[in-house]
């Protein structure tokens, strides 16, 4: 199988009754069962591969009575097949031998954390299974990129999408697996980034398909109650891992030791279940009569303020940057399995003075991603917009692991010219601080 597996990496989503296999005809996004929500944890550890507990053999293709629970679990995972036209087009394209570009984007669960190796993660397993089932010439016509990055929300996903998906594939994806349901708790755009990313993909010229995957924490918490209505609004296929494992847990066929490697991530076997749930969705769509492709709504369920976010670098056209004392490059950043996630960053340290990082640009929205460390050499920085202080960013926390933190610096309905400054807080001039990435909308 020919793959361009992006060496990019992630952190994070399950448990109510399954919805029907088709979206209700009235399309009412509020027509979603009430779900009990467990409070989300406040911090997530760095994404690291964890040895799998005692392996549980995967059932055979033809279940015997003692493994029927597995097939029922797959059925329970299917929230809805939605409008099947886009996915059917992907399936037929794969079968005909045309190149099919698939990508996954999300947190550490998508990255593959918890599996014995990252390549044992659900996204990689799914890409292999799809290529074997629907591809030609041993799946060589299927290209795959994994853009999962641990501990990151959809507001960072919109910044990374073009670089980490489109540029890595060399084309827009035909199919995007979207998994942020355990990373978006407290996300700074309140779901607008998540929906904007969906809209960006659906509005591509290639009639791309999007599958929403709702992963789950060991506490059985996720955000599917927030994001199922979004999926229904766009009539998307959706898979809930929380719903999938609910009954097997009650029946004793599955438990935390088998499914979870820690508080947040599945074992290799848990990742296999996730992959099988997505493949079950696609198999069900493959059996259905083709729908007529529905029109993309003219407006979003929420304001689509974060479509086509552009990542800023030193050469970005229309953006004037003066680095000030933020002239260093921080090498201690999250890695995408062997390469830094944000290599083009701006770092200040105690020897560099205290000149502001200054940026002048015309924008409606500006997202800033900064690093949190736990070393005493890191400190706080302040952000100013047009001369007024808007926030203080804490570069050092006890739970910091060189992870990303996204803040919304500018959030307006019309574009205007702004000057943005980042400078060390008073008394913190001898400390370090790293701006990892910046993204804006025009």
């Amino acid at each position: 199988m020919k793959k361009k597996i992006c060496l990019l990496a992630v952190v994070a989503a399950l448990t109510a009754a399954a919805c029907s296999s088709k979206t209700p005809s009235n399309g009412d996004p509020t027509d979603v069962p009430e779900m009990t929500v467990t409070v989300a944890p406040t911090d997530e550890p760095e994404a690291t591969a964890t040895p799998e507990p005692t392996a549980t053999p995967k059932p055979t293709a033809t279940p015997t009575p003692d493994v029927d629970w597995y097939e029922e679990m797959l059925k329970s995972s299917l929230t809805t097949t939605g409008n099947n036209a886009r996915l059917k087009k992907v399936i037929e394209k794969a079968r005909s031998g045309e190149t099919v570009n698939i990508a996954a984007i999300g947190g550490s669960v998508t990255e593959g954390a918890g599996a014995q190796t990252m390549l044992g993660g659900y996204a990689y397993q799914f890409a292999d299974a799809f290529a074997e089932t629907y591809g030609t010439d041993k799946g060589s016509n299927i290209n795959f990129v994994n853009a999962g990055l641990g501990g990151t929300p959809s507001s960072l996903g919109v910044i990374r999408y073009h670089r980490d998906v489109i540029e890595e594939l060399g084309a827009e994806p035909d199919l995007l697996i979207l998994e942020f349901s355990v990373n978006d708790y407290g996300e700074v755009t309140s779901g607008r980034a998540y929906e904007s990313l969906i809209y960006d993909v659906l509005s591509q010229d290639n009639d791309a398909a999007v599958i929403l995957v709702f992963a789950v924490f060991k506490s059985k918490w996720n955000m599917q109650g927030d994001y199922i209505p979004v999926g229904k609004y766009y009539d998307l296929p959706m898979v809930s891992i929380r719903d999938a494992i609910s009954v097997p847990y009650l029946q004793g066929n599955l438990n935390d030791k088998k499914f979870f490697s820690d508080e947040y991530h599945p074992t290799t076997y848990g990742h296999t279940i996730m992959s099988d749930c997505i493949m079950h969705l696609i198999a069900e769509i493959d059996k259905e009569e083709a729908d007529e492709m529905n029109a993309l709504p003219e407006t979003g369920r929420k304001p689509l303020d974060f479509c086509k976010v552009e990542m800023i670098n030193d050469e970005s056209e229309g953006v004037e940057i003066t680095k000030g004392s933020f002239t260093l490059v921080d090498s201690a950043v999250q890695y995408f399995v062997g390469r830094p996630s944000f290599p083009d960053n701006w770092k200040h340290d105690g020897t560099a003075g205290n000149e502001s990082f200054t940026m002048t640009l015309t924008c409606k929205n500006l997202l800033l991603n900064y690093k949190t460390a736990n070393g005493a050499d890191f400190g706080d920085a302040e952000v100013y917009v047009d001369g007024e202080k808007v926030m203080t960013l804490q570069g050092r926390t006890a739970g910091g692991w060189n992870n990303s933190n996204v803040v919304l610096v500018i959030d307006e309905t019309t574009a205007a010219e702004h000057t943005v400054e980042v400078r060390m807080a008073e008394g913190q001039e001898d400390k370090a601080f790293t701006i990892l990435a910046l993204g804006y909308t025009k």
Side-chain angles (χ1 to χ4, degrees), residues 116-266:
Q116 287 184 311
T117 69
M118 290 295 189
L119 294 179
Y122 85 88
Y124 294 108
Q125 291 196 49
F126 165 72
D128 285 338
F130 183 90
E132 181 180 350
T133 305
Y134 300 105
T136 59
D137 192 21
K138 298 182 179 180
S140 63
N141 61 322
I142 310 301
N143 293 330
F144 174 63
V145 159
N146 188 352
L149 179 62
T152 65
S154 56
S155 48
L156 189 53
V158 293
I159 298 176
R160 300 193 297 114
Y161 176 69
H162 193 277
R163 185 196 71 175
D164 293 345
V165 172
I166 295 176
E167 290 183 12
E168 286 297 319
L169 279 171
E172 293 174 329
D174 297 294
L175 170 60
L176 181 72
I177 306 297
L178 186 62
E179 183 276 307
F180 282 111
S181 65
V182 291
N183 287 71
D184 271 3
Y185 181 75
E187 185 271 318
V188 294
T189 73
S190 301
R192 288 178 289 159
Y194 184 86
E195 186 171 351
S196 294
L197 183 51
I198 290 171
Y199 199 90
D200 271 348
V201 179
L202 295 180
S203 60
Q204 293 173 179
D205 292 336
N206 62 345
D207 296 328
V210 176
I211 296 176
L212 303 186
V213 175
F214 308 125
V216 73
F217 281 161
K218 194 173 186 177
S219 65
K220 311 308 179 290
W221 174 88
N222 69 11
M223 290 184 63
Q224 67 182 49
D226 296 89
Y227 285 159
I228 285 175
V230 180
K232 287 196 170 188
Y233 184 81
Y234 294 97
D235 211 1
L236 299 178
M238 296 182 271
V239 169
S240 169
I241 308 306
R242 193 180 90 176
D243 291 353
I245 67 171
S246 176
V247 173
Y249 262 68
L250 291 173
Q251 294 175 339
N253 293 306
L254 196 60
N255 54 43
D256 286 342
K257 183 178 180 181
K258 292 179 181 178
F259 190 85
F260 288 102
S261 66
D262 55 27
E263 294 298 313
Y264 309 110
H265 309 112

Side-chain angles (χ1 to χ4, degrees), residues 75-120:
K75 293 176 184 178
S76 296
S77 74
L78 202 164
T79 304
T80 176
T81 56
N83 182 283
N84 64 30
R86 290 171 181 263
L87 257 176
K88 277 190 167 290
K89 182 176 178 179
V90 173
I91 293 168
E92 293 311 311
K93 190 174 180 181
R95 280 180 171 145
S96 70
E98 295 181 65
T99 298
V100 172
N101 295 304
I102 299 175
I105 191 167
S108 58
V109 176
T110 295
E111 181 185 7
Q116 287 184 311
T117 69
M118 290 295 189
L119 294 179

Side-chain angles (χ1 to χ4, degrees), residues 154-159 187-189 192-193 305-306 309-312 359 363-370 405-411 435 437-441:
S154 56
S155 48
L156 189 53
V158 293
I159 298 176
E187 185 271 318
V188 294
T189 73
R192 288 178 289 159
D305 297 325
F306 297 90
V309 172
E310 296 186 24
M311 185 183 287
I312 294 171
M359 179 174 61
C363 67
K364 291 191 295 185
N365 309 94
L366 177 66
L367 293 159
L368 184 153
N369 179 35
Y370 68 99
N405 301 266
V406 184
V407 292
L408 182 54
V409 177
I410 297 173
D411 188 18
I435 303 168
L438 295 153
Y440 76 111
T441 60

Side-chain angles (χ1 to χ4, degrees), residues 21 23 79 85 94 100 120 141 152 169 190 246 261 286 295 310 323 339 355 382 391 410 412 420 424 429:
S21 65
T23 300
T79 304
V100 172
N141 61 322
T152 65
L169 279 171
S190 301
S246 176
S261 66
D286 190 28
E310 296 186 24
K323 296 181 183 180
R339 89 182 189 200
E355 295 178 66
E382 297 173 339
M391 61 184 67
I410 297 173
E412 299 178 350
V420 178
M424 299 307 294
E429 295 87 354

